[in-house]
Amino acid sequence: MGAAPTRIGQQDPELVERTGFSPEQINNLHKRFLQLSGNKDTISRENLNDIPALAYNPIKSQIIEAFFDKRNQHDSEVGSLEEITFQQFLMVMSHFRPPTLEMTAEEKEAMRKEKLRFLFNMHDTDGDGKITLEEYRKVVEELLSSGSIEQESAKEITDAAMLEVASTNVPHMGPEDFYEGITFEHFEQILKGLEMESRMHIRFLDTATVHCGKS
Amino acid sequence: MGLHRHAGLWLLVSAMLLCCVSPLKAELKNSQHDSHSNSNITGISIVSFKWEHVKAPYIVAVWVLVCFLCKLVIEANHHVTSIIPESALLICAGFILGGIIWGADHQQTFSLTPVVFFYYLLPPIIVDSGYHMPNKLFFSNLGAILVHAIIGTCWNAATLGLSLWGCQKGGAMGDLDIGLLQYLLFGSLIAAVDPVAVLAVFEQVHVNDVLFILVFGESLLNDGVTVVLFNVFDAFVTLGGAQIDAVEIIKGIISFFVVAFGGSLLGMVFGILMCFLTRCTKNIEIIEPGFIFVVGYLSYLTAEMLSLSAILSCVFCGVCCQKYINANMNENSVKTVKYVMKVLANGSETMIFVFLGISAIDKTIWVWNTGFILLTLLFIFVYRFIGVFLLTWPLNRYRLVPLEFIDQLIMGFGGLRGAVAYGLAVMMDEKKIKEKNLMVSTTLIVVFFTVIIQGILMKPVVTWLKVKRATLHDLTLIEKVQNRVFEHMLVAVEDISGQIGHNYFRDKWKNFEEKWMMWMLMKPSARKTQDHVFSVFHQLNLKDAVEYVTEGERSGSLEFIRNDSVLIDFKKKLGDDMLEAMPDVTADTSFDQGIMLPFRRDPVPSVSLEMHEQTMNGLREMEDLNSHHLLQEHLYKGRKQHRHRFSRNHLSINTDEDEVQEIFQRTMRKRLESFKSAKMGMALPKTISKHTKKEQQKTPNGKNRISVDEDYEFSEADSASGYDPSFTYRAGGGIENPAFMADLDPVVPLQIPPWLAEAELDSGGVAPSQRAQARPPLTAGDLRRLAPLRISTQSTDSFMMADIPDAEQRRDSFDLPPPPPPPP
């Protein structure tokens, strides 16, 4: 936090350490950061909202929200921020690092957990550690709003999916039991087949290249 | 020679002699036998023996029959085919047939000629491969596939040629009249991994998808490459060493790219043409499938005519058009195309292997040179491995999931050579290449060695190395949803971070496709339901349904399903108009059953996983196969949007999208309702008052209510089918869904889970099926009336009850025993 130095990558080995990005990548991201924030030290929601390429993304709001979520900052705080600094921006981005070949199994597992946690937090909008039906429904609705399925179906899909989770994790649920929501453990359990660590990533450029601008 | 002893054999043998494969003139000398019988006839004959008229097609047909019979015999015993791959056995059958011919005739009149192979036998296989290519898998690994197919093949060709040449210089092979160029020619023809052979072996060894597509994709594409290489080197050999200068070499390289990419491009053009055609075949649906075959074949021939790569053209034609034409064509046409394609491809494959075997039994082509043959085998094997490792190493640095060492070993080991190499070898010009026969026989040995020996060893090796096998795990709904989230999230983060990556391009392509390609190439009606979630949802339902029946089968309750006559009866009764409603019924049923499962079977960690497992188990048993088949006949079926694997032997069942959508709506609603009531503890909607109070008590929780509904429907089926009613109504109150009643056991109540036990206390028995049991047989009309109701409400049972005229029987059900407890 604090003032973001302009040559942040080279001067901050600690940042490299914490985020796992290489100095070049940090540099690139910093350029992008400045571009987005209009050369300010922090980024606000509006800045991200203005990215044209994002305009048609159905889960845009959730993603942007994830950037301002304190839980994604590796602190134990809960809540959301108004603005994020470059460091915080980097922390969020670091969830999307690809796994490297040298990683050990434990490291991979840790990374997987971290990525899952990010995803989980994204769905768990109220931060109570559970994805409730309403929360999940919102996701699905947003997801499908662009498609051919009408809202009604979206709701139904959510319910079916939720039911799946419930029956997967609580096989002996009594009739009066109430499945409150997906906990992180359940979430992990359900998605264990998805090879999260290898799929949830983007390629961060290593070298200084032309960015696709804020066009 | 048993020629004259046995007329049948003679016919067969002479038929063989005249075979499609050999030039028709050649066999005249063998046919005096027939012709002199004709010559004696004077005047009008009532019946004449016109062998000459039908000779050529007759022989072809007999050969096809013989090959198919070979396959039939081989496949009769699965103990053998599980150890030795079918392709190897077919080759052996070819040896035997060849031996018979040779014994009868002392020469080999039939062999696989390049013309027959390249123009008739190969195209069906290639069209099939392209059309059934698992596109997503293929394109996401396209980079690696291309590297292996292009560079790997060149590497194999070059190293083999050079090494053999070196060995000859070193004197390892005696005196051979082969120059460097000819070695390279030989290397290029034998470099390519053969799709026919590879698929035949890999299909039986279920390796993981990525490995499979790498080997298979490579083998497909490198056939194109190897044909191109062969032509280039053939031209070089024709030119002669002295004529070749830098210009010629550059021309060769350019022609390589022109031929390969030109072929692919041509294929795409034909693919698009095909899409357009299927867009407007509404009025001639009956010959719709024909277009696919003709255009596919034309793409092959056209490429051949333009001396572009015919194989690549054909593959890309199939790859490009499959999605659109499957959406455009009517359901039956799609099915027809798939089945006919499989028939043709499988048939061609069979014939190729048999004829490879037959061709080998020919003294005239065999020239033995131990050094040459053994060295070739050794080099092929070694360089294949080296090539795979060398190429995978840089690739792995860019791959997210690197190919493991073991996978690479299997890739190397999967380098089977096949008929394409042989076809090319036979095509060589004997005048230019003195040692053609040596090369042909070496090629044959290589083919036999790789297909038979490596083919047999493949399975043990895969098991021994513990290669990751294909997971048969289907995506659950939530995983599918999560996948969507992923896609969007990754694109969004890329947008935010300003990186243009993989996801960015994929997203752009998707948009482009949705906007333009679909608009151009798809019927408007087909564009509507392209959503994958539907298909997953549908698959879930299908799984549930299968599970339901499996369960029933286990307890022997669903016998009516196996009884054909009853089944027909059932169908008749319901009448055509009911067909619509029927699948629904079954599907609904199945779903709720799925919910019930955790209660019935004890250690059930997950409904869907477990169900899947059950399905898989069930498939192994004959009975379950029966019911499975039945379900497939009657359920709504979803067209599978993505195929994980390519198989020449097996077809996945495809179905109609409207149905899927409809079933989707309905069962979703059901799921929703059951979810609400069961999981969220919501109050039950008030049931309509036709229930007695007792009845309402009996269904204290939503789950049971729903199952009742379920059972009810099954009972309908029972009664409608004319099944013996006594069965239905046994156990005091009739058992609608005997599947679950059968589990009842007086001792078991002790094991009833607490909540159920409780429920039992106040209600005196919650057995899911009881209520339904007493239903009188419903008529089709009743059934139809029910369907819409079911849509509109979850607590269907009450509505259904309203429809049932006879309340008396319902009361009986109260005496039913408690719900079956989970099995120990």
Side-chain angles (χ1 to χ4, degrees):
Chain A
M1 333 238 160
T6 20
R7 306 298 301 163
I8 199 156
Q10 286 85 336
Q11 291 167 9
D12 201 347
E14 189 228 1
L15 205 54
V16 175
E17 169 84 9
R18 275 188 71 193
T19 59
F21 286 118
S22 71
E24 293 81 31
Q25 287 171 333
I26 293 184
N27 229 349
N28 276 336
L29 283 172
H30 190 238
K31 278 187 203 147
R32 177 67 177 169
F33 181 84
L34 292 179
Q35 197 179 15
L36 288 176
S37 63
N39 285 324
K40 293 204 203 74
D41 286 346
T42 56
I43 280 186
S44 65
R45 285 183 173 75
E46 288 70 42
N47 292 135
L48 294 186
N49 258 323
D50 290 343
I51 301 174
L54 221 50
Y56 297 107
N57 202 309
I59 53 170
K60 169 184 174 187
S61 65
Q62 298 221 13
I63 299 213
I64 293 179
E65 206 48 51
F67 273 85
F68 297 92
D69 193 331
K70 282 184 188 161
R71 285 172 299 173
N72 291 335
Q73 301 295 336
H74 294 260
D75 307 326
S76 41
E77 296 170 62
V78 182
S80 74
L81 300 158
E82 283 310 307
E83 296 192 318
I84 51 168
T85 63
F86 178 59
Q87 283 188 355
Q88 289 165 324
F89 180 75
L90 267 190
M91 289 310 288
V92 177
M93 277 296 174
S94 71
H95 287 96
F96 293 90
R97 268 178 306 135
T100 53
L101 289 181
E102 300 86 42
M103 286 177 103
T104 61
E106 297 91 68
E107 280 173 320
K108 274 199 180 137
E109 188 52 39
M111 177 174 248
R112 175 188 159 78
K113 267 229 158 89
E114 200 181 284
K115 286 175 193 283
L116 265 176
R117 178 65 79 175
F118 182 87
L119 207 57
F120 182 81
N121 288 344
M122 204 170 94
H123 295 333
D124 179 21
T125 41
D126 62 0
D128 64 351
K130 284 198 173 105
I131 303 176
T132 59
L133 185 63
E134 284 70 33
E135 283 168 342
Y136 201 68
R137 181 175 297 160
K138 201 168 149 251
V139 180
V140 176
E141 267 169 19
E142 280 175 2
L143 265 185
L144 296 179
S145 55
S146 62
S148 52
I149 313 179
E150 60 268 41
Q151 292 290 310
E152 185 72 2
S153 317
K155 246 171 89 180
E156 288 164 359
I157 291 179
T158 325
D159 294 322
M162 202 69 172
L163 183 58
E164 251 175 33
V165 183
S167 47
T168 306
N169 292 292
V170 192
H172 292 294
M173 203 196 280
E176 68 281 0
D177 286 359
F178 176 77
Y179 192 74
E180 290 151 336
I182 310 172
T183 63
F184 182 64
E185 287 70 34
H186 290 175
F187 195 66
E188 201 180 351
Q189 179 71 19
I190 308 156
L191 297 184
K192 65 175 179 240
L194 276 189
E195 293 184 346
M196 186 79 52
E197 66 277 10
S198 50
R199 290 194 45 207
M200 184 169 144
H201 78 281
I202 58 175
R203 274 172 215 275
F204 291 99
L205 298 172
D206 261 340
T207 50
T209 17
V210 188
H211 288 282
C212 68
K214 201 184 169 179
S215 53
Chain B
M1 36 199 283
L3 266 173
H4 300 284
R5 280 202 309 260
H6 198 294
L9 180 63
W10 165 237
L11 185 65
L12 184 63
V13 170
S14 67
M16 289 167 173
L17 295 178
L18 311 178
C19 165
C20 50
V21 181
S22 61
L24 288 176
K25 302 164 214 154
E27 90 294 301
L28 280 176
K29 60 179 184 303
N30 296 318
S31 56
Q32 326 103 324
H33 188 77
D34 312 306
S35 47
H36 75 84
S37 66
N38 291 344
S39 58
N40 294 341
I41 294 169
T42 52
I44 295 169
S45 63
I46 296 167
V47 176
S48 57
F49 185 66
K50 293 183 176 172
W51 168 242
E52 291 297 326
H53 285 273
V54 294
K55 193 167 57 191
Y58 199 95
I59 289 166
V60 173
V62 168
W63 261 120
V64 173
L65 178 70
V66 169
C67 292
F68 284 8
L69 284 178
C70 287
K71 184 157 178 147
L72 184 110
V73 171
I74 286 165
E75 284 294 329
N77 191 342
H78 282 289
H79 295 298
V80 181
T81 44
S82 65
I83 301 169
I84 306 172
E86 188 191 287
S87 45
L89 288 171
L90 284 171
I91 289 182
C92 296
F95 289 157
I96 297 170
L97 286 175
I100 294 174
I101 301 170
W102 185 264
D105 219 39
H106 290 289
Q107 61 173 351
Q108 194 52 275
T109 3
F110 300 103
S111 58
L112 198 55
T113 62
V115 173
V116 172
F117 176 72
F118 282 109
Y119 291 154
Y120 302 111
L121 292 180
L122 191 58
I125 294 179
I126 304 295
V127 173
D128 173 61
S129 308
Y131 184 78
H132 286 116
M133 176 71 73
N135 265 356
K136 195 172 176 190
L137 209 54
F138 179 70
F139 282 110
S140 50
N141 291 291
L142 189 61
I145 291 173
L146 282 180
V147 166
H148 277 113
I150 297 174
I151 306 181
T153 307
C154 294
W155 155 267
N156 282 347
T159 50
L160 178 71
L162 290 175
S163 308
L164 283 177
W165 185 65
C167 288
Q168 193 204 356
K169 290 279 165 203
M173 297 183 279
D175 189 23
L176 284 179
D177 185 14
I178 306 181
L180 174 60
L181 273 178
Q182 299 184 5
Y183 273 121
L184 286 175
L185 178 67
F186 177 65
S188 70
L189 75 86
I190 212 163
V193 176
D194 188 74
V196 187
V198 161
L199 204 62
V201 169
F202 271 69
E203 204 158 78
Q204 300 181 1
V205 193
H206 301 285
V207 295
N208 60 69
D209 291 341
V210 174
L211 182 54
F212 177 83
I213 198 69
L214 281 182
V215 178
F216 178 52
E218 181 203 340
S219 66
L220 257 188
L221 297 193
N222 74 6
D223 266 341
V225 174
T226 200
V227 174
V228 175
L229 267 187
F230 177 83
N231 287 336
V232 171
F233 279 114
D234 197 37
F236 281 171
V237 170
T238 314
L239 273 177
Q243 306 273 328
I244 298 174
D245 50 18
V247 181
E248 294 299 326
I249 292 176
I250 290 171
K251 269 195 207 147
I253 294 173
I254 292 175
S255 92
F256 175 86
F257 284 102
V258 169
V259 169
F261 288 100
S264 313
L265 210 67
L266 186 76
M268 292 181 199
V269 171
F270 269 92
I272 290 170
L273 176 72
M274 211 187 264
C275 297
F276 276 127
L277 278 175
T278 53
R279 246 195 111 172
C280 23
T281 47
K282 200 170 61 202
N283 300 325
I284 46 162
E285 270 168 6
I286 199 76
I287 59 164
E288 211 171 44
F291 283 111
I292 313 300
F293 297 102
V294 171
V295 177
Y297 192 42
L298 274 181
S299 79
Y300 187 92
L301 291 182
T302 312
E304 193 69 43
M305 179 178 76
L306 300 174
S307 72
L308 300 174
S309 167
I311 294 175
L312 288 178
S313 162
C314 219
V315 168
F316 279 97
C317 174
V319 165
C320 290
C321 69
Q322 49 166 271
K323 179 176 176 187
Y324 306 107
I325 56 181
N326 279 349
N328 280 345
M329 285 194 309
N330 123 339
E331 182 61 17
N332 288 330
S333 306
V334 172
K335 243 185 226 168
T336 311
V337 167
K338 298 200 162 170
Y339 276 103
V340 173
M341 235 171 221
K342 291 295 174 198
V343 170
L344 291 179
N346 217 319
S348 296
E349 185 191 284
T350 309
M351 296 194 64
I352 287 173
F353 282 124
V354 171
F355 271 97
L356 268 182
I358 292 175
S359 312
I361 310 295
D362 185 359
K363 261 190 204 158
T364 56
I365 62 162
W366 284 105
V367 179
W368 191 267
N369 181 322
T370 317
F372 186 81
I373 290 172
L374 287 186
L375 281 173
T376 307
L377 271 180
L378 177 77
F379 287 142
I380 281 180
F381 198 68
V382 171
Y383 286 129
R384 166 79 186 167
F385 277 102
I386 297 177
V388 167
F389 290 135
L390 275 185
L391 292 176
T392 315
W393 182 70
L395 281 177
N396 261 350
R397 307 185 50 185
Y398 296 99
R399 282 182 76 86
L400 258 151
V401 193
L403 275 182
E404 285 162 34
F405 180 70
I406 288 175
D407 286 351
Q408 297 175 36
L409 275 183
I410 296 297
M411 271 186 82
F413 201 72
L416 308 181
R417 277 27 175 213
V420 172
Y422 175 74
L424 290 175
V426 175
M427 266 169 66
M428 286 189 297
D429 188 351
E430 208 158 351
K431 282 174 220 140
K432 285 181 284 182
I433 298 157
K434 301 280 178 342
E435 303 285 353
K436 177 189 169 186
N437 276 345
L438 176 60
M439 291 184 181
V440 172
S441 39
T442 310
T443 310
L444 274 176
I445 294 212
V446 168
V447 171
F448 295 149
F449 178 83
T450 54
V451 171
I452 298 178
I453 308 285
Q454 283 178 229
I456 291 174
L457 288 180
M458 183 62 84
K459 215 174 202 172
V461 166
V462 165
T463 323
W464 180 60
L465 290 176
K466 299 196 180 65
V467 176
K468 231 204 271 172
R469 301 296 187 98
T471 45
L472 292 166
H473 167 75
D474 280 339
L475 288 180
T476 56
L477 199 56
I478 194 164
E479 282 175 314
K480 202 80 184 179
V481 170
Q482 229 32 262
N483 272 345
R484 276 287 180 89
V485 174
F486 260 26
E487 282 172 25
H488 290 301
M489 186 172 66
L490 293 181
V491 173
V493 174
E494 264 179 11
D495 286 340
I496 290 178
S497 69
Q499 321 276 338
I500 299 185
H502 212 208
N503 300 303
Y504 176 84
F505 285 115
R506 186 176 285 176
D507 197 50
K508 284 277 170 284
W509 164 250
K510 229 175 138 187
N511 285 342
F512 172 76
E513 194 190 20
E514 267 166 25
K515 242 191 195 154
W516 296 106
M517 304 285 282
M518 293 213 185
W519 174 77
M520 263 190 349
L521 302 176
M522 267 194 206
K523 279 181 191 167
S525 59
R527 254 175 270 147
K528 275 186 298 182
T529 49
Q530 285 291 310
D531 207 288
H532 287 229
V533 178
F534 273 125
S535 72
V536 171
F537 179 76
H538 166 69
Q539 281 166 20
L540 275 179
N541 279 329
L542 194 67
K543 267 197 297 191
D544 291 354
V546 172
E547 163 66 13
Y548 178 73
V549 173
T550 313
E551 179 78 354
E553 282 281 303
R554 227 173 44 184
S555 24
S557 62
L558 296 180
E559 269 136 36
F560 71 94
I561 265 181
R562 265 180 280 156
N563 186 331
D564 277 349
S565 60
V566 170
L567 186 73
I568 290 162
D569 202 349
F570 179 33
K571 268 186 174 168
K572 231 186 269 167
K573 268 197 180 166
L574 287 180
D576 274 348
D577 52 343
M578 278 317 296
L579 283 182
E580 220 181 310
M582 222 199 48
D584 245 329
V585 169
T586 345
D588 284 356
T589 308
S590 65
F591 168 64
D592 290 326
Q593 214 33 72
I595 302 181
M596 292 306 295
L597 282 176
F599 293 89
R600 283 167 201 301
R601 263 192 249 122
D602 206 15
V604 179
S606 117
V607 165
S608 61
L609 282 185
E610 190 250 6
M611 281 193 301
H612 188 58
E613 198 185 298
Q614 279 295 319
T615 314
M616 299 317 291
N617 289 340
L619 285 179
R620 277 177 217 124
E621 299 161 31
M622 235 11 236
E623 299 174 17
D624 296 330
L625 268 182
N626 271 342
S627 54
H628 187 73
H629 172 72
L630 220 126
L631 272 174
Q632 280 178 338
E633 297 260 295
H634 292 291
L635 277 186
Y636 274 129
K637 299 164 200 153
R639 176 175 298 158
K640 277 201 177 153
Q641 295 286 348
H642 61 292
R643 283 173 302 273
H644 289 301
R645 303 179 60 81
F646 174 87
S647 160
R648 193 167 294 146
N649 294 317
H650 306 289
L651 259 183
S652 48
I653 305 286
N654 290 301
T655 32
D656 182 50
E657 307 237 349
D658 295 341
E659 284 181 352
V660 176
Q661 186 142 19
E662 201 181 325
I663 197 174
F664 178 81
Q665 300 283 353
R666 293 181 184 199
T667 44
M668 265 306 182
R669 241 169 267 262
K670 272 224 135 177
R671 283 190 166 207
L672 168 65
E673 293 308 338
S674 61
F675 177 71
K676 271 188 197 151
S677 51
K679 303 288 184 207
M680 317 249 333
M682 274 174 44
L684 295 172
K686 279 207 171 167
T687 46
I688 284 178
S689 54
K690 285 211 178 166
H691 288 277
T692 61
K693 277 198 177 160
K694 245 184 173 183
E695 280 226 64
Q696 293 205 4
Q697 276 177 347
K698 273 180 76 179
T699 55
N701 62 54
K703 276 184 183 158
N704 285 335
R705 296 167 56 81
I706 285 158
S707 63
V708 168
D709 178 14
E710 264 334 11
D711 299 336
Y712 166 63
E713 286 170 359
F714 245 98
S715 67
E716 248 167 47
D718 266 354
S719 23
S721 66
Y723 191 74
D724 178 11
S726 66
F727 181 73
T728 320
Y729 297 136
R730 103 195 137 174
I735 292 162
E736 267 329 303
N737 181 7
F740 300 101
M741 299 307 289
D743 278 343
L744 290 180
D745 179 349
V747 187
V748 204
L750 294 177
Q751 297 170 345
I752 293 176
W755 66 88
L756 277 188
E758 236 176 78
E760 221 182 301
L761 281 183
D762 20 2
S763 63
V766 219
S769 41
Q770 306 134 1
R771 208 179 321 137
Q773 311 129 355
R775 298 284 147 59
L778 286 182
T779 61
D782 285 339
L783 190 50
R784 195 190 298 140
R785 204 160 359 116
L786 290 179
L789 283 176
R790 222 173 303 127
I791 297 174
S792 60
T793 175
Q794 51 88 194
S795 64
T796 10
D797 45 348
S798 49
F799 287 98
M800 295 192 170
M801 299 307 283
D803 279 339
I804 291 148
D806 189 350
E808 285 296 317
Q809 284 178 346
R810 237 178 297 139
R811 255 172 245 145
D812 292 346
S813 62
F814 300 147
D815 306 327
L816 283 175

